[in-house]
Amino acid sequence: MAAADGDGSKKRAPAIIKLAVQWDNKQPVLYDFDQKQPLAAIVRAMCQRWGIQNADRYAFKHLDTNTYITEKNRQNLANGAILKLALSPAIEARDTFDRLREAPATDTQIMRGLALMCKDVSFACEFAACGGLKTLAQRIEERSEVLVEHSQLGAALTALQELVDNGGSVWGELSANLVAKICSYAVSSNPDPVIMSKSLSILESVVASSNNASLISVVRDKVTVEDIAKHLQQTGDLDRKVNALGVLNALMSRASISERQDLHKNACGFRVREALFTTVVNQKAAVQVEMAQQLHLFQAHQLSLVANRMQSRFDPENKVHMVSLQALPQSVFPDEYSTLSRRPTMVKDGPGLAGASIWKKLGFVNSNPALDFNEVPPGVLALECLVFFARSHQEDCNKFLLDNMARRETHQCPFARSGIVLTKLLCEILHVGEVASEVATNYLPIFYSTEYFFEEFFSICIQLLNKTWREMGAGVVDFEKVIAVVRKQIAEVLKLNPRNMADLKKSLWDMTYSRIISIIEEEKEKVEDVTTRAKPVVELRDRIKPQIVELVKKQRLLHLTEGALFHTFTNRGRQQRANWCCRLSPNHRVLHWNTPDDNCTHVLALEELPKKVAVSDIRELMCGRDKVPNPVKSQQFQFALRMAESDMTLDFVAEDDKQYAMWIDGLRVLLNQPMENASEDIEMLLNMDMKLRLLDVENAPIPDQPPKIPPDPPNLDFYYKDR
């Protein structure tokens, strides 16, 4: 690590950390901790100072966090830290393992202590190497009643989860009997929230992370959708709900298409969506990140069932498809359909289909309507949506058709064609069929307000399409234009996050065609200005652009000097409560930060940030999860700094893409590298500056080419005559 002095010259940072070391509750002694000296040598020196034999049995622990100091994390030590000399992870793990085997099940201290110690990676790895996972699993499996009686089961489950997560083990190593036992805890009426939450969290990990099909089968058989619904219906205990929904999402992600359909039916039967809407989505309190991630996954899994129908073509040999197709005219024109069905001479292009005239009235392109559903997407999903609208919203469907029958044929909105194209449009807007992101937090509240979300959404949007068609005075030739406007209307309303279908319909009805035109015009004004196309203006832009770039660089550096908080994450990519702070010094020469153990709630002052590194000592900026040395699972906005004179890295996980772009650009400016994410800001400021400069020539024509220079005069014999 290095720092810079006042005149900008490089100055080697001291490799000595001023800290205190404590042993056996004695008064701590001050010690100069040499970062270049091997850790084992420092431990031996401290043991000699106190006359302790067998120095290889000892190691340093951080007094505040009770975690072992290793060669990997020693760089995080700061001046003023207090260490304690303790048994090494290997010795501590062996002693704990022996005590766990010999201690009676009624010993309340051993299990609680183990749950705390397993949070340390060094201890967890050594304890797992001793066979601790097998012993702990056996105790939970064979003596669970005693553990419950002495209030140890929650600590035992916590220790099990921490041991697998931090000890390098895999969830597939657990026995089927143990998983079945944990399933019984998850579905029991035990009031202990720790037991319930930990049981569900472990089962989620078993299903999501294990490749052991037998264990997944145990969870699927023992934990039903009804059991999960009970957890979601209870009030309070958000962790329990997050873990319960996590189990359901994990089961859906590992299930086949048929199994996922069964889970969907059971979820509908036990009103899982209704429970989530009532106890989570429709509450005034903001939804936490972990719950939002689970809501996103549940929505994606449910919509994946729609994707199967979206990719299925109409099959004339499929009786279900034929019945659905016949149901459409039967629901809309029951009398006419009944008459035609009794006249075989009117049946055309397929057995059991009504005459061509009725399909034309319904707005099909082909005389054989089955051909209209051959395109995928939307496939037979469009047919199912049209039938749902005709049956469940018969009055609105009749109004749609009657409204168009009153118009000239060239200005009628084709019902079937509109429904088919609209279904495909909705699939694109809702990202149906796309792979769900495990870290995304975006979800639609209206999805949880009804069990038949896609069909109800379609029923409202097809009425909107007809309304917009009428407002635009459109004809058949304007079909694509109307669809483009409807897409914009739906996209704008979804940004408002309507809570239920009634709010959705009201917002869509307020988003009139004239309002959409205004929005489009406003967007055009922001991104395009006709005057900027003239050659003199382009030359002027090129002349002032370097000034704007320098201004944006200053803004990026100012953002770094203001500092920011960064989250820490577990190995599984879940966000922890501990935050850490980093900011740039006002002279842009030194980065200051603290450790995650400080758990910041706001950006700290420079004086409160003990660790620092000179910008001149930064060797490399690494961006992206694929390039950083210590990637965090499922986190997208990651970057790291590698130092020049050591292998130390400073790892960041930005909260969002905005924070990521700001810090990446700011660090690139410090390292004399071009910015990557500043093009939008540069363009915006450049456009504003150009508009201000061109105010004096507003409404004046600007030539594309400069005027021609007149030829030289025939002679230079001229003079000025004073009158």
Side-chain angles (χ1 to χ4, degrees):
M1 298 174 60
D5 57 12
D7 60 0
S9 61
K10 290 185 178 180
K11 185 177 180 180
R12 192 176 186 82
I16 305 299
I17 305 296
K18 302 289 186 179
L19 47 75
V21 182
Q22 183 183 31
W23 177 65
D24 197 21
N25 295 325
K26 294 182 180 180
Q27 186 70 21
V29 297
L30 297 178
Y31 187 79
D32 292 338
F33 192 94
D34 190 350
Q35 289 284 25
K36 294 184 177 181
Q37 189 177 5
L39 193 60
I42 301 177
V43 172
R44 282 196 301 270
M46 294 306 303
C47 288
Q48 291 176 1
R49 183 168 185 169
W50 276 307
I52 302 173
Q53 302 296 323
N54 301 323
D56 57 341
R57 292 172 54 87
Y58 292 88
F60 288 131
K61 269 189 174 183
H62 202 290
L63 185 64
D64 294 333
T65 61
N66 201 37
T67 56
Y68 281 100
I69 305 301
T70 65
E71 293 292 350
K72 291 183 178 181
N73 63 17
R74 63 183 295 177
Q75 298 294 338
N76 296 328
L77 289 174
N79 288 324
I82 301 178
L83 307 183
K84 64 179 179 179
L85 195 62
L87 292 175
S88 67
I91 302 300
E92 186 72 34
R94 171 55 64 180
D95 291 347
T96 304
F97 176 72
D98 294 338
R99 284 188 285 118
L100 179 64
R101 287 193 306 175
E102 298 170 0
T106 57
D107 189 342
T108 60
Q109 298 300 321
I110 182 66
M111 202 62 72
R112 293 174 183 173
L114 181 61
L116 293 175
M117 289 187 290
C118 283
K119 294 181 179 180
D120 182 83
V121 176
S122 301
F123 175 86
C125 291
E126 295 291 347
F127 188 75
C130 294
L133 177 61
K134 182 178 179 181
T135 302
L136 177 61
Q138 287 178 347
R139 170 142 319 182
I140 297 174
E141 182 179 344
E142 298 172 0
R143 304 183 184 181
S144 58
E145 292 77 10
V146 180
L147 293 175
V148 172
E149 182 180 351
H150 292 82
S151 303
Q152 296 186 70
L153 184 57
L157 294 174
T158 302
L160 178 65
Q161 185 173 29
E162 297 290 348
L163 182 58
V164 177
D165 286 343
N166 299 325
S169 303
V170 294
W171 289 104
E173 297 178 5
L174 303 184
S175 67
N177 290 335
L178 176 60
V179 174
K181 181 73 71 173
I182 297 175
C183 289
S184 67
Y185 305 148
V187 300
S188 67
S189 57
N190 193 308
D192 190 336
V194 176
I195 295 176
M196 198 65 66
S197 295
K198 288 299 177 183
S199 298
L200 292 168
S201 181
I202 290 173
L203 294 179
E204 177 191 354
S205 299
V206 168
V207 176
S209 306
S210 171
N211 292 323
N212 192 330
S214 61
L215 296 185
I216 299 175
S217 178
V218 170
V219 179
R220 186 184 298 113
D221 295 338
K222 298 292 184 181
V223 182
T224 65
V225 176
E226 181 180 7
D227 297 321
I228 295 174
K230 290 178 181 179
H231 292 304
L232 298 176
Q233 289 165 358
Q234 54 87 29
T235 57
D237 197 355
L238 182 61
D239 289 340
R240 179 177 168 185
K241 292 179 183 177
V242 171
N243 294 325
L245 186 56
V247 173
L248 181 57
N249 284 331
L251 289 172
M252 287 186 172
S253 66
R254 303 303 291 269
S256 63
I257 297 299
S258 59
E259 291 171 340
R260 191 175 298 177
Q261 290 174 343
D262 292 338
L263 288 172
H264 170 71
K265 291 178 182 178
N266 291 331
C268 293
F270 294 109
R271 299 182 176 180
V272 170
R273 286 198 208 184
E274 181 180 338
L276 289 170
F277 183 77
T278 304
T279 63
V280 179
V281 176
N282 205 33
Q283 296 295 312
K284 293 182 179 180
V287 177
Q288 295 184 2
V289 173
E290 289 189 353
M291 175 56 82
Q293 291 174 347
Q294 297 298 339
L295 291 173
H296 170 84
L297 287 174
F298 183 78
Q299 175 180 307
H301 289 319
Q302 295 292 295
L303 289 177
S304 68
L305 298 175
V306 176
N308 297 326
R309 295 176 282 163
M310 178 186 72
Q311 297 295 342
S312 299
R313 288 185 172 85
F314 185 91
D315 183 6
E317 303 298 327
N318 189 315
K319 292 183 179 180
V320 176
H321 292 181
M322 291 299 298
V323 169
S324 297
L325 184 57
Q326 295 169 14
L328 188 57
Q330 189 176 10
S331 301
V332 178
F333 304 120
D335 296 336
E336 185 175 352
Y337 176 81
S338 177
T339 302
L340 289 172
S341 62
R342 292 194 297 268
R343 297 169 57 187
T345 56
M346 294 297 294
V347 177
K348 184 177 181 181
D349 297 321
L353 297 182
S357 61
I358 199 170
W359 301 118
K360 185 177 180 181
K361 290 172 62 176
L362 285 172
F364 282 91
V365 176
N366 297 284
S367 57
N368 180 2
L371 299 177
D372 287 41
F373 300 106
N374 280 341
E375 181 185 358
V376 290
V380 296
L381 176 62
L383 174 59
E384 294 178 4
C385 289
L386 287 168
V387 173
F388 179 89
F389 178 56
R391 286 178 170 175
S392 301
H393 302 272
Q394 190 171 9
E395 183 177 349
D396 293 327
C397 182
N398 291 335
K399 183 179 179 181
F400 184 109
L401 294 169
L402 292 174
D403 186 25
N404 282 279
M405 288 180 183
R407 306 172 191 162
R408 298 195 309 271
E409 185 175 350
T410 56
H411 284 71
Q412 291 180 0
C413 178
F415 175 67
R417 182 188 176 191
S418 299
I420 294 171
V421 176
L422 179 63
T423 303
K424 183 178 180 180
L425 172 63
L426 296 182
C427 289
E428 294 173 357
I429 292 176
L430 299 174
H431 306 288
V432 174
E434 297 182 10
V435 178
S437 170
E438 295 183 358
V439 297
T441 57
N442 56 309
Y443 65 93
L444 296 175
I446 53 174
F447 173 83
Y448 295 91
S449 65
T450 176
E451 292 294 345
Y452 299 97
F453 162 72
F454 194 90
E455 291 83 356
E456 293 289 354
F457 193 19
F458 171 87
S459 299
I460 292 176
C461 290
I462 196 170
Q463 297 177 65
L464 171 70
L465 192 152
N466 185 51
K467 173 177 174 290
T468 303
W469 186 285
R470 185 172 57 251
E471 291 175 352
M472 294 176 64
V476 176
V477 295
D478 303 314
F479 185 84
E480 296 298 332
K481 295 180 181 178
V482 177
I483 293 298
V485 173
V486 171
R487 177 192 288 272
K488 185 68 175 176
Q489 288 173 313
I490 297 173
E492 291 295 326
V493 168
L494 289 182
K495 293 178 183 178
L496 305 177
N497 280 329
R499 290 279 176 172
N500 51 57
M501 289 298 172
D503 291 344
L504 173 68
K505 186 172 183 178
K506 182 179 183 303
S507 299
L508 287 173
W509 259 239
D510 292 340
M511 193 65 63
T512 60
Y513 173 60
S514 58
R515 173 61 182 148
I516 289 296
I517 292 298
S518 299
I519 293 175
I520 294 175
E521 290 297 330
E522 292 172 3
E523 293 176 348
K524 284 184 178 180
E525 291 177 1
K526 294 179 181 178
V527 300
E528 183 180 4
D529 190 350
V530 178
T531 58
T532 60
R533 300 176 182 176
K535 185 176 179 179
V537 177
V538 172
E539 293 177 352
L540 178 60
R541 285 173 62 92
D542 294 338
R543 183 177 299 177
I544 66 176
K545 186 174 182 178
Q547 304 172 19
I548 300 299
V549 172
E550 289 300 320
L551 181 63
V552 174
K553 287 182 178 180
K554 292 180 181 179
Q555 186 266 344
R556 294 297 195 264
L557 293 176
L558 178 62
H559 186 84
L560 267 62
T561 58
E562 292 174 350
L565 294 180
F566 296 91
H567 298 303
T568 56
F569 294 83
T570 64
N571 292 346
R572 296 192 299 164
R574 287 199 171 182
Q575 181 177 322
Q576 294 180 328
R577 295 182 179 178
N579 299 323
W580 65 286
C581 177
C582 183
R583 65 188 303 176
L584 179 67
S585 63
N587 62 4
H588 302 162
R589 294 175 180 175
V590 182
L591 280 175
H592 298 254
W593 80 93
N594 65 344
T595 62
D597 304 325
D598 297 333
N599 193 17
C600 303
T601 57
H602 62 280
V603 177
L604 302 178
L606 289 177
E607 296 76 13
E608 299 175 284
L609 300 175
K611 302 183 73 63
K612 59 184 178 180
V613 62
V615 173
S616 59
D617 284 348
I618 298 176
R619 183 175 69 189
E620 182 183 6
L621 170 63
M622 298 166 286
C623 307
R625 186 173 58 187
D626 298 332
K627 297 182 180 180
V628 297
N630 303 307
V632 178
K633 180 182 178 182
S634 304
Q635 295 302 316
Q636 181 180 0
F637 306 111
Q638 302 181 50
F639 58 98
L641 296 174
R642 189 186 299 279
M643 305 309 157
E645 299 182 5
S646 69
D647 290 330
M648 171 190 169
T649 60
L650 193 58
D651 302 315
F652 301 76
V653 180
E655 182 177 3
D656 50 31
D657 56 346
K658 181 179 179 181
Q659 187 185 58
Y660 177 85
M662 284 288 188
W663 276 79
I664 292 297
D665 283 348
L667 292 171
R668 283 185 171 276
V669 172
L670 290 175
L671 300 176
N672 294 321
Q673 298 176 4
M675 296 181 291
E676 290 185 346
N677 307 287
S679 57
E680 292 185 4
D681 291 346
I682 293 174
E683 191 67 20
M684 177 190 67
L685 294 174
L686 192 55
N687 289 337
M688 292 175 61
D689 194 12
M690 290 297 300
K691 288 182 179 180
L692 291 174
R693 291 171 181 263
L694 296 175
L695 284 177
D696 292 338
V697 294
E698 188 176 6
N699 297 326
I702 300 177
D704 293 333
Q705 299 293 334
K708 292 182 179 181
I709 300 176
D712 292 335
N715 61 70
L716 299 178
D717 299 333
F718 56 88
Y719 66 95
Y720 176 76
K721 182 178 180 180
D722 188 2
R723 293 183 181 179

